[in-house]
Amino acid sequence: RDSILEALLRNPAKQLRRLYGEIIYNLSRRDFPDQWSNIANEIKINLLGEDQSRAFLATYALRKVVSKYETLFAEDREPLEALVKELFPILETLGDHYCKDSSEDGVAFMLLIIKVFFLATHFDMPSYFLADTSKLEKWLGFIKYHLETDLDASLVTLTEDPEEIRLREKAKAWKLKELCIGVIQKLWSRYGNPKNCHSSRLEFSKFFFSTYGLPFLPIMVNLLLSKAHKFFPRKSVNAMFKYVDQSFKYQEAFVLVKDHIEALLTTVAIPTLFFTKEDEHLWKDDPSEFLRRENDVQRSLEADDKSAATDFIVRLCSIKKAVSENKYIDEVLKYCFSVLEAYEASKASGENPDSRAKEAILRVVSALRYRMEKKKYIKSQLEDFLAKYVLPELSSPLGFLKSRACCTYGMLMDLVKTWNNTDNLAAAASGFYTCLNDTDLCVKVAAGTYFREFLTLEDPVIIESMRGNLREILQTYFSLMDTYDNEEIVMGLQLLVKQYETEVVPYAVDCIQYLSSAFMRLTKKMEGDDNANGDMEQDKAMAALQCIQAINRLLESIYQNQELYLKTSEFLIPMISHVLGSDTNTEFYDDVLECLNHFVYHCEDLPEQVWLFLPHIYAKMCGENEGTTTLATADIEAEWDVEQLGNVVPIFMNYMAKGLNNLLNRRVANGSNYLELIIKFVQRMHVLFLDITKPREVDATTATRLLVGILENTEANEVDAYLGDILGIVLRRVGAAKSDLLRLMAIRAVAMGLHYNCELTLNTFIQLNGLSDVFRLWFDLMKSFKKGEEKKMVLAGLLGVFRLQTNNPSVIPEVIRQAYPDFFKQIIELTLDLILINEKTKEIDDMFKNKSPQKFKLEDDDAASSDDEAGDSALNKLNNVNAAGFGIDDEEDDSPSEFDEGDAFQLGSFEYESNFEDLSEFKLTQEAMEAMSTAQADLYQQLVASVDADIYQKFLAGLQAAVAAEEAENAA
């Protein structure tokens, strides 16, 4: 640390300079200013010295120190303030000396000085300038001089030679000018809009806007206009366009630009979009790199001239009325159409027009898609535009024009509300299909990206024509996925799977194999590529996400074919293992867990490897190593985010639905069986969600649903050994619950315990001194059970008590006997509710079943509205049936409002079917009533006398009819 600066000053060689610079930067981050305060004085001494080389290298060292503060906020920039105050006056003197020095050393020194200024100011303006704004004049004077000074003719003559462009962009003179353009553009972007500035910078922003922002605007306009006959590096063009198009926001700025709009559009912006020789080189020799550049968001923001020119045109067409009365979108489109007309006329006369111009114009029209969306008079002309200017280019011999035609047609076709000539649409679909099989990768990718737009139109002729080529289309998408990683391609495949859900079944295994292979390839690239930039990582992540989502859709389409499901396990199990066994693929957990849930739910005979995921997930969620090293989970300290609970619970529920014997007979290394893991899981989630300052009872309720799941999937005496633990968890947590969410789920667990083994459940609560508390809560919450599933469980629990009364009345506690009249009344109410829910559900099912397809066809807006209302009405009825109680009395429902605030414990609409669902609640009720009326006739008659006779007769008749209807349905 003490000698590094001197080492740098003595070794000016470029390679060593970079190494020393990195050391100084890292030392500064750690030690400056607290343990390295003398570095500022050492730099100052060398800046003031007469040795030009040492002064240059001292400035280089200052640049590295200042870099530490480049993106820090004001509260962390105090040491920078001291550096600026002490050293910037010296840099200003050096700048006066070297500003007009055009020698290589002079330009390099000035470049370094401006870099230091940029690093210190572009994120926030130091108080050195805020306190005395006149000090900014010298620095912006340096920048203005270099913007207005012409470079040597050898650096500015027009060229398209890629190697010559590369050399020029590395030239120090261009680097200096480019930096000056970038500095003033960043300052204009940050301080050119006082409305967006922090209040502490408002006055400075107003000063900058009028004193420098506006005066620099004509300079930037002139520079852009000179691009028509001079070379400019792409990064410079990007910054200049940004500077000028920011003026579109302010009337006082726009008046300085508006007279040059036509020239900027026709001689600069649109020619910037032309397909260049470098584009041609990449297109032929490295198409993947060409595609990467086209989709590189970071490059488009900072270094791409074409994206900046496109943004300039789009913003020009978006100018607000307060800035200009002129609707520039009309003028721009008028010019575009005139170019296209001239192109077609020239081509018709046998000439060879510049195809680059047409490609650029199509790019412009595509970019204005969202502006045209709001213009009816423009949209009405789009069908003719596509047919005349775009459709023919789908068969162009020029690949770049063919690719652009695919993009333009794909982006604009959905704006055409009604196609007058569907033959053109069919011809376009055929053209896209041909492009999918083109020899140029870039054409294939463009076609593959936008081919899905034909499916979104839902035109029956188009969809039918594609059906015959489905296998070939799928193979083309597979080939593209092997060659090019892009989420748009996978999205196209996903839409194909959705549209042809039935037809794709024969190819489902191949599809899943390709998708899982692509997913593995993409995620492994993400894990292994430390040098990839953020946008490349995001592209891979989005493509991988589309792969897994397409797999999930395919799994939904083949659920009836068990053979196919088992075949897919060969590809899916390694994929699921790869993601769940890694802490770096967290963004895919949701969709991969959904994939696992599909598999557990639909596959009748689970492979053993799938069973191993249960303890693995338990270990990840609970932070305990249960010996599940099979899936490479030895290092399990880093727990999963508990927010995965909503994905994990459905999977555990479906494991239980396969039969609890499967859980009881499988064990992990410490001897615990899988059912014990699930019970421990619930306990762990209760600790995480309830034993905290602000309990999360919704999440605790979701976890408690697993206890209900155990009891609704068990068979006789299967979980007697665990019933005490389950009911103990319920009783311990229900008393402290603050909302009804957790209480309601707890009562469902109690009800299922009574249904499963009433005597053991009652004895357990007696031992835990909780019997009275549980049933008091039960009665309090009866009106809060809304859905048919909940009512059925509560009814089954009450019937369990009556069955025990019939079979072994002596074990019934007295407190329960005293509640029999209330139990009997609840049984009748719940049964009538369930009968009504069952009738309404069948009525709505029949409504949808009998509704002919023609009635759903949207002939016009009125018909659409009418059908939508009919569908909404039916759905609302269904929701109302499931959500509302149908009690036999008219008492007001005074259930607490917490229940209505969140139904999150319902876990959405996940796939799950328990053994309990197969049980007929009506048959169960009928058998229990008949048995009790026979074995306990006196008691039964007393209970009947305690309710209204008409209601009882309604109950008997409804119950008999419901049982008869079920028997008839089963027989059919």
Side-chain angles (χ1 to χ4, degrees), residues 248-299:
F248 299 163
K249 299 177 183 178
Y250 326 109
Q251 189 175 26
E252 57 267 54
F254 185 68
V255 296
L256 301 174
V257 180
K258 66 178 183 178
D259 292 341
H260 306 285
I261 289 296
E262 183 177 352
L264 287 170
L265 174 69
T266 60
T267 67
V268 182
I270 291 178
T272 299
L273 301 177
F274 280 19
F275 195 76
T276 66
K277 286 187 178 180
E278 183 178 9
D279 294 333
E280 184 179 357
H281 167 73
L282 287 175
W283 182 280
K284 291 179 178 178
D285 298 338
D286 194 353
S288 294
E289 175 61 15
F290 178 88
L291 292 166
R292 188 197 68 77
R293 285 194 180 190
E294 287 285 298
N295 295 288
D296 189 338
V297 177
Q298 187 62 40
R299 182 174 180 271

Side-chain angles (χ1 to χ4, degrees), residues 775 779 798 801-802 816 819-828:
F775 281 96
F779 292 138
L798 295 172
V801 176
F802 275 25
I816 300 298
Y820 275 176
D822 290 323
F823 280 15
F824 192 65
K825 182 182 178 182
Q826 288 179 10
I827 288 172
I828 292 175

Side-chain angles (χ1 to χ4, degrees), residues 169 214 217 225 289 311 434 438 496 510 537 553 694 726 884:
E169 289 181 341
L214 293 180
L217 186 54
L225 289 173
E289 175 61 15
D311 291 343
T434 302
D438 199 272
L496 275 171
D510 289 340
E537 286 293 294
R553 184 168 292 282
K694 294 183 179 180
I726 293 171

Side-chain angles (χ1 to χ4, degrees), residues 466-757:
M466 291 185 190
R467 199 184 307 275
N469 298 316
L470 183 59
R471 182 177 183 82
E472 291 75 14
I473 294 172
L474 289 172
Q475 289 294 337
T476 301
Y477 271 96
F478 295 156
S479 175
L480 277 175
M481 288 167 55
D482 285 340
T483 310
Y484 180 62
D485 300 327
N486 182 270
E487 76 274 13
E488 301 287 347
I489 300 298
V490 187
M491 196 182 300
L493 177 59
Q494 188 178 359
L495 196 58
L496 275 171
V497 170
K498 179 182 178 182
Q499 182 64 57
Y500 301 103
E501 190 168 353
T502 303
E503 295 86 344
V504 84
V505 169
Y507 319 116
V509 174
D510 289 340
C511 286
I512 290 174
Q513 180 180 3
Y514 270 94
L515 288 164
S516 59
S517 175
F519 178 87
M520 294 285 279
R521 183 179 70 250
L522 288 163
T523 52
K524 286 179 179 178
K525 280 184 181 179
M526 291 168 58
E527 294 166 4
D529 192 355
D530 296 330
N531 298 319
N533 64 42
D535 293 319
M536 291 174 64
E537 286 293 294
Q538 188 174 9
D539 286 346
K540 289 187 177 70
M542 288 299 296
L545 187 62
Q546 291 292 338
C547 286
I548 189 65
Q549 289 174 349
I551 287 172
N552 286 336
R553 184 168 292 282
L554 282 163
L555 288 175
E556 290 175 4
S557 69
I558 65 169
Y559 71 93
Q560 293 179 321
N561 193 319
Q562 288 297 306
E563 183 181 354
L564 292 182
Y565 245 84
L566 289 174
K567 285 182 178 178
T568 65
S569 66
E570 179 183 346
F571 322 116
L572 294 182
I573 290 174
M575 182 189 75
I576 296 171
S577 300
H578 173 68
V579 174
L580 301 188
S582 167
D583 293 326
T584 60
N585 292 315
T586 55
E587 65 264 52
F588 306 117
Y589 281 175
D590 287 357
D591 293 279
V592 167
L593 289 172
E594 181 185 343
C595 178
L596 176 59
N597 191 45
H598 280 312
F599 204 89
V600 176
Y601 174 72
H602 288 298
C603 192
E604 295 176 2
D605 187 14
L606 292 180
E608 188 59 33
Q609 298 97 313
V610 176
W611 284 106
L612 291 175
F613 287 125
L614 189 153
H616 172 76
I617 293 172
Y618 165 84
K620 283 288 188 180
M621 288 288 289
C622 296
E624 298 180 22
N625 189 342
E626 290 292 335
T628 57
T629 54
T630 308
L631 294 172
T633 59
D635 181 15
I636 154 170
E637 289 80 7
E639 299 178 13
W640 280 2
D641 192 324
V642 291
E643 302 304 329
Q644 291 296 336
L645 180 71
N647 295 317
V648 167
V649 168
I651 296 172
F652 282 3
M653 298 279 283
N654 281 314
Y655 274 124
M656 291 188 291
K658 297 297 179 187
L660 294 187
N661 61 307
N662 288 300
L663 304 179
L664 292 166
N665 295 330
R666 287 179 168 83
R667 297 182 180 274
V668 292
N670 70 354
S672 298
N673 63 46
Y674 285 13
L675 181 63
E676 290 169 345
L677 293 186
I678 291 178
I679 295 173
K680 289 180 184 178
F681 176 84
V682 177
Q683 292 174 315
R684 175 62 176 162
M685 294 303 107
H686 279 180
V687 169
L688 292 174
F689 293 126
L690 298 177
D691 296 346
I692 54 178
T693 306
K694 294 183 179 180
R696 295 167 54 176
E697 293 197 356
V698 171
D699 295 309
T701 303
T702 300
T704 307
R705 180 67 178 88
L706 289 170
L707 300 181
V708 180
I710 293 173
L711 295 172
E712 69 182 337
N713 284 291
T714 190
E715 298 179 1
N717 304 319
E718 203 170 27
V719 295
D720 286 359
Y722 303 102
L723 190 59
D725 293 334
I726 293 171
L727 297 176
I729 295 171
V730 170
L731 187 61
R732 183 163 56 254
R733 294 299 181 179
V734 74
K738 292 182 172 57
S739 73
D740 281 352
L741 285 173
L742 186 54
R743 295 190 188 109
L744 288 165
M745 189 60 73
I747 294 304
R748 288 170 67 178
V750 173
M752 294 311 298
L754 293 171
H755 168 70
Y756 162 69
N757 190 328

Side-chain angles (χ1 to χ4, degrees), residues 47 77 81 141 153 239 305 414 436 568 684 750 889 966:
L47 289 177
R77 291 166 66 92
E81 296 282 355
D305 52 350
D414 69 314
L436 274 174
T568 65
R684 175 62 176 162
V750 173
D889 56 24
E966 284 186 343

